[in-house]
Amino acid sequence: MLPWNRGVPMGRAVTTPPTSLPQQERIILPLPRGETPLVRVGDPVSRGQRVADGNGDPLPLYASVSGTVAALDTMELAAGGSCLALILQNDGLDTAADPLELPDDEDALWDSGVRLPGGRPLAQAVTQAAPGLDTLILSAMDREPWHCTEDAALCLDADAVAAGLAFLNRLLHPRRTLLAVGAGQHQAAHAAAPLDCTVMTVPQRYPLSHPQLLAESLGRLPPGQPPQEGDVLVLPVSAVAAFGAALQGTPPIRQRVSVAWKRGHALIDAPMGAPLSAILEAAAAPDGPLLLGGPMTGSPLRHADGPLVPGITSLCVLPPRRHRNGTPCIRCGRCAAVCPMDRQPWLGIGHCLHCGACRYVCPAAGYTPSKEEVLV
């Protein structure tokens, strides 16, 4: 069992009602995996209409607004690289397509178009888990401190979570179905009561919400073994809620984005393809270096002009960076005291989650990022 006293004690953003992004004049739907467009320039589209089919990982793409296909052009992505994209001119009418109808088998996972945070298809993760799975774990805990996307998915979309969970239980027949909630997530724990699963409370310490650690602590997975090899599947509640909504007729055309900065956070509900700059503006976030993800493990965002795409669930704005003179490791042992894998980071021994907890507590300036570069 994982020692619960490991990790960094961190606060948690309290979920508040999300702010809806004002209507955007143009919506950009990238096709980064070579998706095949099903519409042409000049075609009218309705909200929820299937506008592209997948290629490689065969996930479809659905229009998030109604309007007209204004262009099919190459665009630069915020995280780097470029690809072909559908550009929709919003007509402001919000005309809806017919409700989505999914098959009653595992093909529903692919046709739903749902992706996990980070972009991996939900269908890929589920189909790798064989029927007769030992433990299915849903996590309502956000991976990073001060974000609240997963908490909001359970608190605000409990009916959709229940629909998605019922489908997964029927498909996988797990021996145990667990729901991981943080010790401070009282509203989420209350919302989970009607679900067909066992609620497990996890201490509010970073990075105990990491899927590997949840699989080891709750699913009794041997340390260091990948969950899929140990008959344990860990899924974020937000993806299960999105799949449940697709089963109920609504494809993943909107996404909540948790925006965090030092001493502030906001939850924005936005259509897929909306500019990230508009999301940051709606959040009233300050200027500063941007991260795709959270303060501990997020990756630099090149610019905020790119669109919201499936898998982007959190953004972080850092304070301006300050130059610090580097000092060597002083062998103080603080990194070992917080390491969730009980390793000695300065020696590089043992399995590493790359969670950043050791860097956060390290007092050696330059050896790790300044604490002023993360949220405190």
Side-chain angles (χ1 to χ4, degrees):
M1 290 289 289
L2 182 74
W4 288 131
N5 62 325
R6 292 285 180 179
V8 179
M10 301 294 281
R12 183 182 66 84
V14 177
T15 297
T16 56
T19 299
S20 292
L21 192 71
Q23 283 212 22
Q24 301 297 303
E25 184 177 340
R26 294 207 316 169
I27 291 293
I28 300 176
L29 301 177
L31 310 174
R33 299 169 179 85
E35 292 90 343
T36 303
L38 301 177
V39 292
R40 295 178 296 181
V41 175
D43 285 353
V45 296
S46 301
R47 174 175 51 82
Q49 177 181 335
R50 191 164 177 159
V51 293
D53 270 335
N55 182 22
D57 55 0
L59 295 189
L61 189 66
Y62 299 92
S64 56
V65 298
S66 65
T68 306
V69 180
L72 182 62
D73 202 358
T74 300
M75 63 152 297
E76 185 179 358
L77 297 173
S82 61
C83 69
L84 199 64
L86 284 168
I87 301 175
L88 307 183
Q89 186 71 30
N90 189 353
D91 61 10
L93 300 178
D94 202 31
T95 306
D98 292 335
L100 182 63
E101 294 185 6
L102 297 178
D104 195 31
D105 55 25
E106 69 177 35
D107 286 344
L109 292 161
W110 297 102
D111 291 347
S112 70
V114 175
R115 293 184 182 273
L116 303 174
R120 184 187 182 198
L122 170 66
Q124 188 180 77
V126 173
T127 53
Q128 284 182 353
L133 184 74
D134 181 79
T135 307
L136 171 63
I137 302 174
L138 271 59
S139 176
M141 302 178 67
D142 284 86
R143 286 281 299 271
E144 291 263 10
W146 304 110
H147 288 288
C148 57
T149 310
E150 300 305 327
D151 186 82
L154 183 54
C155 294
L156 304 177
D157 302 324
D159 289 345
V161 174
L165 178 59
F167 186 98
L168 294 174
N169 277 333
R170 180 168 55 83
L171 181 68
L172 297 173
H173 305 290
R175 189 177 65 85
R176 297 188 305 155
T177 301
L178 309 178
L179 175 69
V181 298
Q185 294 179 256
H186 305 299
Q187 185 181 352
H190 178 74
L195 299 181
D196 185 18
C197 61
T198 302
V199 178
M200 307 294 289
T201 302
V202 177
Q204 209 75 46
R205 298 179 71 90
Y206 178 84
L208 298 184
S209 58
H210 192 287
Q212 179 72 36
L213 300 183
L214 291 177
E216 293 180 12
S217 59
L218 303 182
R220 298 190 290 269
L221 185 75
Q225 182 178 2
Q228 61 269 23
E229 295 180 6
D231 289 329
V232 180
L233 176 62
V234 183
L235 296 175
V237 164
S238 60
V240 178
F243 177 60
L247 290 171
Q248 295 170 339
T250 303
I253 56 176
R254 298 187 70 87
Q255 191 156 278
R256 295 192 191 101
V257 182
S258 185
V259 183
W261 60 95
K262 191 173 184 179
R263 300 188 183 91
H265 68 274
L267 188 63
I268 308 298
D269 180 72
M272 292 295 186
L276 296 181
S277 56
I279 294 174
L280 291 166
E281 182 180 353
D287 293 332
L290 297 174
L291 292 180
L292 186 61
M296 303 295 277
T297 62
S299 57
L301 198 60
R302 297 180 61 183
H303 57 80
D305 298 327
L308 174 65
V309 298
I312 295 181
T313 58
S314 57
L315 298 171
C316 181
V317 184
L318 298 177
R321 298 184 183 275
R322 298 179 181 178
H323 176 74
R324 307 182 79 199
N325 294 323
T327 59
C329 174
I330 61 174
R331 299 296 194 271
C332 65
R334 295 184 188 180
C335 54
V338 300
C339 178
M341 305 307 291
D342 200 21
R343 69 196 296 264
Q344 296 176 321
W346 71 88
L347 297 177
I349 299 173
H351 183 66
C352 179
L353 294 178
H354 304 287
C355 65
C358 56
R359 294 194 300 269
Y360 179 78
V361 300
C362 179
Y367 183 72
T368 64
S370 163
K371 291 181 183 178
E372 290 151 354
E373 296 178 18
V374 297
L375 303 180
V376 295

